[in-house]
Amino acid sequence: MTSSERTEVPAAAGEREMLEGWLDFHRETLAMKCAGLGDGQLRETSVPPSGLSLMGLVRHMAEVERIWFRRVLDGEDAPPLYFSEQDPDGEFHVGPDDTFEAADAAWRAETARARELAASRSLDDLSKEQRHGRRYSLRWIYVHMIEEYARHNGHADLLRERIDGATGA
């Protein structure tokens, strides 16, 4: 895993370019943390009692992208992919028939749709739907997504180091 495989975030740029650059950087970081591992390794959990795995993190981020861009920003009817009322953390509960290939495809589809939905909006545009009783600007959603990825990439760092000793990036 090398940093040259990720988006180079400009040191001086306009606000939108900077926010989109950092979001892509963090998306690519999660992909790099999963690169080169097999399904078994990608479903390995951290330490008991945690069930956190790299595959679970990818599934979680697919859900987060879907919620914030499709459901909140655009008002799409986009039901959850992995969780339910009965299993609110379902994305983290990887079953024996779940594959990383499917999780990765869902995540990449959600990030592509997120880019599509954001492209025609200004940073000040408000979401069509409310979440937690509020509407959010695209700017707020970008900052939240960067924060969400940064936090979970820290988890991914620890998981990857536990799996094969790889650190950095």
Side-chain angles (χ1 to χ4, degrees):
M1 295 185 294
T2 65
S3 59
S4 63
E5 298 169 16
R6 287 181 293 192
T7 296
E8 181 71 30
V9 181
E15 182 181 16
R16 186 174 191 125
E17 183 182 356
M18 187 76 67
L19 291 170
E20 289 176 349
W22 277 112
L23 182 52
D24 283 339
F25 175 88
H26 281 291
R27 286 170 171 154
E28 292 159 10
T29 298
L30 181 57
M32 288 172 60
K33 292 298 172 183
C34 297
L37 298 175
D39 261 24
Q41 292 171 306
L42 291 159
R43 54 179 72 245
E44 280 186 36
T45 58
S46 55
V47 293
S50 175
L52 191 62
S53 68
L54 288 169
M55 192 183 306
L57 284 175
V58 168
R59 288 165 41 125
H60 175 67
M61 292 313 300
E63 291 283 19
V64 172
E65 295 267 3
R66 186 175 183 88
I67 288 167
W68 283 104
F69 288 99
R70 292 176 73 169
R71 290 169 65 181
V72 177
L73 181 66
D74 198 56
E76 281 187 31
D77 180 20
L81 297 170
Y82 304 108
F83 70 87
S84 65
E85 283 186 29
Q86 298 76 24
D87 189 5
D89 293 323
E91 66 268 35
F92 294 115
H93 302 146
V94 178
D97 296 331
D98 295 320
T99 66
F100 183 73
E101 182 180 2
D104 188 56
W107 176 55
R108 291 181 188 275
E110 292 303 328
T111 60
R113 184 70 177 136
R115 286 184 187 98
E116 225 177 87
L117 292 171
S120 64
R121 291 175 165 87
S122 79
L123 293 176
D124 293 323
D125 282 354
L126 293 179
S127 61
K128 290 184 179 179
E129 296 295 323
Q130 290 188 11
R131 184 165 171 88
H132 310 297
R134 300 187 301 183
R135 291 177 62 207
Y136 296 85
S137 69
L138 177 58
R139 176 184 292 102
W140 190 98
I141 293 170
Y142 275 155
V143 171
H144 174 66
M145 292 300 296
I146 292 164
E147 169 272 324
E148 183 88 9
Y149 272 101
R151 180 165 42 104
H152 289 309
N153 282 338
H155 298 133
D157 271 340
L158 295 171
L159 285 160
R160 182 64 190 247
E161 184 176 11
R162 184 187 175 285
I163 292 166
D164 70 356
T167 60

